[in-house]
């Protein structure tokens, strides 16, 4: 495998993480201005991330991932480049929580029925990648008919 291939193989998960964090930031920005309309937005994050902030008893209760729900019992959602801050209510007690974007493991918006799993960037080809030298009949569509559009022609 070439050096470029090795570099890309290592780069793709980081590129995916960065892109999906941008999606999360965009969604949370909308939620911070419009609210959730009473619908649930579920977030699972790593409470042991160095920049995460939440009460120690919650960190101990959820060692492998802390679920939070933005639905009715929250306020003061503030976003910055590294994390979001929110006040959640547990048994009526306001509890400040800081969730770094990089600590988010899963995100699910029930209203939009949209979810992101930040823990699984398994590379899978989106189509059959087997190649053959045999013509495939009328189903073959050339990407560059007569080499027009190719930079190397």
């Amino acid at each position: 495998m070439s050096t470029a291939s090795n570099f890309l193989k290592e780069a793709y998960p980081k590129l995916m993480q960065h892109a999906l964090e941008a999606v999360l930031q965009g969604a949370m920005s909308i939620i911070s201005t419009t609210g959730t309309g009473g619908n649930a937005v579920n977030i699972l994050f790593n409470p042991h991330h160095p920049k995460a902030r939440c009460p120690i008893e919650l960190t101990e209760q959820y060692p492998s991932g802390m679920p939070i729900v933005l639905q009715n019992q929250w306020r003061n959602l503030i976003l910055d480049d590294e994390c979001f801050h929110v006040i959640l209510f547990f048994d009526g007690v306001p509890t400040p929580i800081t969730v770094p974007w990089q600590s988010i493991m899963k995100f699910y918006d029930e209203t939009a029925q949209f979810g992101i799993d930040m823990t699984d960037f398994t590379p899978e080809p989106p189509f059959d990648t087997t190649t053959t030298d045999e013509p495939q009949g009328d189903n073959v569509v050339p990407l560059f008919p007569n080499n027009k559009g190719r930079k190397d022609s």
Side-chain angles (χ1 to χ4, degrees):
M1 192 178 298
S2 72
T3 303
S5 295
N6 284 334
F7 176 77
L8 284 172
K9 185 177 181 178
E10 293 176 17
Y12 281 126
K14 293 174 185 171
L15 292 168
M16 285 293 296
Q17 171 124 16
H18 182 72
L20 291 175
E21 284 174 10
V23 171
L24 293 173
Q25 290 175 12
M28 295 298 283
S29 178
I30 294 168
I31 291 167
S32 72
T33 57
T34 65
T36 65
N39 298 302
V41 173
N42 300 277
I43 300 167
L44 181 69
F45 75 100
N46 175 2
H48 300 289
H49 186 281
K51 295 183 180 179
R53 300 290 175 262
C54 61
I56 190 72
E57 60 271 10
L58 291 176
T59 302
E60 291 171 353
Q61 185 177 353
Y62 301 102
S64 61
M66 181 175 164
I68 60 174
V69 179
L70 301 181
Q71 186 170 17
N72 299 314
Q73 300 289 317
W74 64 277
R75 70 170 186 228
N76 297 352
L77 178 58
I78 300 169
L79 288 67
D80 64 39
D81 290 340
E82 292 187 4
C83 56
F84 71 86
H85 312 270
V86 67
I87 296 176
L88 300 175
F89 291 84
F90 296 97
D91 296 323
V93 177
T95 306
I97 306 280
T98 297
V99 179
W101 301 115
Q102 291 184 346
S103 74
I104 296 176
M105 300 159 65
K106 297 183 187 237
F107 173 93
Y108 184 72
D109 180 339
E110 287 184 2
T111 303
Q113 294 184 352
F114 177 80
I116 298 174
D117 183 347
M118 301 289 285
T119 63
D120 185 14
F121 299 132
T122 305
E124 295 180 16
F127 48 84
D128 183 6
T129 59
T130 57
T131 59
T132 178
D133 292 336
E134 299 295 318
Q136 299 296 313
D138 295 335
N139 295 331
V140 175
V141 178
L143 295 178
F144 300 104
N146 302 322
N147 292 331
K148 292 179 183 175
R150 284 185 63 177
K151 293 180 181 179
D152 62 345
S153 60

